[in-house]
Amino acid sequence: MSNYQSAIEHIRAVKEKVGNMDNISVEDAARMMIQNRFKTGLDIAKYTAAIMRQDMAEYDEDTSKYTQSLGAWHGFVAQQTMYAKKKYFGTTAKTYIYLSGWMVAALRSELGPLPDQSMHEKTTVPALIEEIYTFLRQADAKVLNDYFRELNAATEAGQDTTEIIAKIDNFDSHVVPIIADIDAGFGNEEATYLLTKAMIEAGACAIQVENQVSDAKQCGHQAGKVTVPHEDFIAKLNAIRYAFLELGVDQGVIVARTDSEGASLTQKIPVSEKPGDLASQYIDFIETEEVDINDAKENDVLLKRNGKLVRPVRMANGLYSFREGTNIDRVVLDCVTALENGADLLWIETPTPDVAHIKMMVDRIKEQQPKAKLVYNNSPSFNWTLNFRKQVIKEWEAEGKDIAAYDKNNLMSADYDGTELDAAADEAAKNFQRDAAREAGVFHHLITLPTYHTTALSVHELAKGYFGEDGMLAYAAGVQRKEIREGISAVKHQAMAGSDLGDDHKEIFSGDNALKAGGEKNTMNQF
């Protein structure tokens, strides 16, 4: 229903048509409909896909309108992220949730903590999407329930309810797009298609897929990455698009990730049908050595290149090496090919957070695809402080500035905190997203696994104090007092978990017979 009044009219029509609903309150039923705007995951996927498409169009017109997300490994983490965004900025606009395969592997697998190598259960990914949206929908229901309490109180007091109803009708949902990591597709293209369907049905509107070999997948910030020929990757892009279309999510978004910047290996040599075709371009990147046919070994793999017989350099495990210095050319070809074959956004993994380096690659891509846009990983695998201090030192050296006060081999030192170097580096970090959006085509900035680190840090800080001299003061001062003074809703953890919502539902269902939790003796009344 578009608003509260139309929901009331709908329920009235249903009661009249169906009958036997004398015990059902029109207002309460309409209220529950409004509190549950999204009935299925597909409803969510269609709604959020439209949001992303609108955001992409706005970014094309104005690069200051980039989008951001934080990675979430649990529904509660995603919920609190959106609660914070609305509390401090009044809206969830331009904000998404990122579902990281790394965090699924490290935190959600039934096998226990795993490295980011696609060893976790594939079903965990759609299950986490569904969990996240369960928590985001509950956030909507909780806040709207508070508004309806206001409405009921105002109605009983005979007060004007226009403003309250406007708050309900114009409610800004906590439900936002999820960019969901499908790794390298967890198998062949049919496996990718089936998993994509499950992810979309859970609510995902954007699927991120990478061009690594699925059974040898590595974290983008680790060594040993093996890429696949373009034809293999295109098949998976097709599989994802067919899944979107089959399920009616016409505006679904595909994020094509290339790991070629750091990858040095390929698993197979594609078949070239004619000179210069896509397979031929891929083969040309492979490292070879010239060989005489008489010197070739039995069962050697040989290629004809520029009229000569050459042997691809092959590892002991059968993988082939790419020529050194081809990584950027491979990135550009990967990205252009992906955009020509159904991808909407690009993801390029880089060794450091360097706007100039990203811009160099994106400028080359834009020569062929002018509207190319990036999703960029502001990765915790980067040492952000060290990288920006290095960048500042390099700039100062180029300007001829005296840097004798700084040891270039020890730039991470706390001795430099508060210095001119520290201030310049921190300013660069602060402006990184704005600069990359403006200069390097970055439409979406995300931090893949920030909440992994915030969880570890906050638990360490609490444990240090609680098990030490501070005892309960560590929690009272370090956690609860901050929650209260900052106005964080989760301090009332019973209400956050749905007790107020449940009380109101019980009253709707049972009337005066309802046994409610929020009475006089509820200790949450202390807050």
Side-chain angles (χ1 to χ4, degrees):
M1 297 298 105
S2 58
N3 58 43
Y4 181 46
Q5 186 57 43
S6 62
I8 287 174
E9 291 168 3
H10 173 76
I11 297 298
R12 281 179 180 155
V14 170
K15 286 186 68 173
E16 184 176 342
K17 182 177 181 180
V18 176
N20 198 29
M21 294 187 188
D22 291 344
N23 292 334
I24 301 300
S25 160
V26 169
E27 290 76 16
D28 287 339
R31 163 185 180 171
M32 294 177 76
M33 288 183 67
I34 293 295
Q35 288 177 196
N36 184 23
R37 173 180 178 180
F38 304 101
K39 315 308 180 191
T40 69
L42 285 178
D43 290 340
I44 292 172
K46 293 172 184 177
Y47 167 77
T48 54
I51 290 174
M52 279 196 72
R53 291 288 178 175
Q54 180 64 32
D55 287 345
M56 290 159 65
E58 289 180 8
Y59 174 82
D60 285 340
E61 296 298 320
D62 181 355
T63 58
S64 70
K65 294 182 178 179
Y66 60 89
T67 56
Q68 298 170 290
S69 65
L70 294 174
W73 55 271
H74 191 280
F76 181 70
V77 173
Q79 181 194 68
Q80 292 306 300
T81 300
M82 290 303 110
Y83 252 87
K85 178 68 193 300
K86 285 194 72 174
K87 174 180 173 58
Y88 296 111
F89 303 99
T91 179
T92 58
K94 307 297 182 187
T95 310
Y96 308 160
I97 293 292
Y98 181 66
L99 188 152
S100 160
W102 193 101
M103 285 207 287
V104 171
L107 298 172
R108 298 303 299 262
S109 173
E110 292 182 9
L111 299 174
L114 297 170
D116 184 20
Q117 297 172 357
S118 289
M119 294 189 290
H120 56 278
E121 308 85 356
K122 65 175 70 176
T123 53
T124 308
V125 182
L128 179 53
I129 296 168
E130 183 175 6
E131 176 183 291
I132 288 172
Y133 279 128
T134 297
F135 274 78
L136 295 182
R137 289 163 72 192
Q138 191 262 9
D140 280 2
K142 179 187 179 300
V143 175
L144 282 165
N145 191 66
D146 291 341
Y147 291 169
F148 278 111
R149 283 186 167 189
E150 286 183 51
L151 179 62
N152 289 345
T155 301
E156 289 175 10
Q159 298 171 349
D160 180 55
T161 60
T162 304
E163 289 187 10
I164 302 172
I165 291 175
K167 283 199 302 183
I168 293 168
D169 289 343
N170 298 316
F171 180 72
D172 186 35
S173 177
H174 297 84
V175 171
V176 297
I178 287 178
I179 297 178
D181 185 1
I182 200 172
D183 285 3
F186 284 88
N188 62 22
E189 56 269 42
E190 173 69 3
T192 301
Y193 156 76
L194 292 171
L195 181 55
T196 298
K197 279 182 64 178
M199 293 166 70
I200 297 167
E201 288 169 338
C205 73
I207 306 295
Q208 172 220 322
V209 61
E210 60 204 56
N211 70 335
Q212 290 192 48
V213 175
S214 60
D215 61 352
K217 180 260 189 303
Q218 290 278 22
C219 172
H221 292 274
Q222 293 181 323
K225 293 184 287 296
V226 184
T227 63
V228 298
H230 297 97
E231 294 83 354
D232 292 14
F233 191 58
I234 290 169
K236 293 190 175 180
L237 296 179
N238 290 340
I240 294 168
R241 182 61 67 199
Y242 274 112
F244 273 127
L245 294 173
E246 176 183 337
L247 295 173
V249 184
D250 300 343
Q251 298 188 82
V253 175
I254 300 176
V255 182
R257 169 175 149 180
T258 174
D259 280 293
S260 289
E261 209 281 350
S264 57
L265 301 167
T266 186
Q267 190 179 50
K268 66 181 183 181
I269 298 175
V271 176
S272 174
E273 301 291 345
K274 59 183 180 180
D277 63 11
L278 203 52
S280 179
Q281 293 178 68
Y282 190 80
I283 294 168
D284 285 345
F285 290 127
I286 295 174
E287 179 72 35
T288 61
E289 53 192 7
E290 190 174 342
V291 61
D292 186 280
I293 189 64
N294 297 312
D295 296 328
K297 299 176 184 178
E298 194 71 16
N299 294 323
D300 250 354
V301 174
L302 303 177
L303 296 170
K304 180 182 177 182
R305 179 176 287 175
N306 298 323
K308 297 179 180 179
L309 197 63
V310 296
R311 176 167 49 209
V313 174
R314 204 173 190 186
M315 313 292 288
N317 54 18
L319 299 173
Y320 299 97
S321 297
F322 287 116
R323 289 184 287 114
E324 284 192 22
T326 63
N327 56 328
I328 304 303
D329 290 337
R330 284 185 280 125
V331 165
V332 173
L333 182 59
D334 291 347
C335 291
V336 170
T337 302
L339 291 174
E340 289 176 344
N341 289 276
D344 302 293
L345 297 169
L346 302 171
W347 175 311
I348 301 172
E349 286 288 0
T350 63
T352 62
D354 186 327
V355 172
H357 182 62
I358 304 167
K359 174 178 166 53
M360 175 269 295
M361 292 184 285
V362 172
D363 283 350
R364 288 186 56 188
I365 295 164
K366 284 189 172 184
E367 289 174 5
Q368 300 178 65
Q369 291 287 331
K371 288 192 174 182
K373 291 181 282 296
L374 263 63
V375 171
Y376 187 73
N377 177 9
N378 291 228
S379 177
S381 293
F382 300 144
N383 185 329
W384 288 82
T385 300
L386 182 60
N387 270 294
F388 283 115
R389 286 181 178 182
K390 282 183 175 180
Q391 288 178 28
V392 170
I393 287 292
K394 184 178 179 180
E395 290 172 10
W396 285 355
E397 283 184 310
E399 294 168 1
K401 187 169 182 173
D402 183 9
I403 61 165
Y406 304 104
D407 178 1
K408 290 200 292 184
N409 296 315
N410 192 30
L411 291 177
M412 193 64 191
S413 172
D415 292 343
Y416 300 140
D417 292 356
T419 64
E420 184 184 5
L421 171 63
D422 183 50
D426 283 359
E427 187 67 14
K430 179 179 178 180
N431 293 324
F432 174 78
Q433 294 190 344
R434 284 189 287 269
D435 292 345
R438 183 184 64 252
E439 301 293 332
V442 178
F443 157 73
H444 185 75
H445 280 281
L446 60 90
I447 309 179
T448 43
L449 41 138
T451 51
Y452 177 92
H453 293 280
T454 55
T455 301
L457 178 61
S458 61
V459 170
H460 272 254
E461 289 178 343
L462 176 61
K464 181 173 68 173
Y466 179 71
F467 296 118
E469 293 294 322
D470 288 346
M472 251 333 271
L473 179 62
Y475 177 77
V479 180
Q480 191 178 77
R481 194 179 298 168
K482 291 180 180 178
E483 286 181 300
I484 294 169
R485 291 175 177 172
E486 197 66 26
I488 295 175
S489 296
V491 71
K492 296 184 179 181
H493 49 260
Q494 306 284 14
M496 193 76 251
S499 63
D500 289 357
L501 190 61
D503 275 358
D504 285 5
H505 285 169
K506 284 185 281 187
E507 188 171 29
I508 290 171
F509 305 150
S510 303
D512 292 340
N513 294 330
L515 184 63
K516 296 192 286 187
E520 239 177 72
K521 293 186 178 180
N522 188 316
T523 60
M524 289 273 97
N525 293 328
Q526 296 172 31
F527 295 93

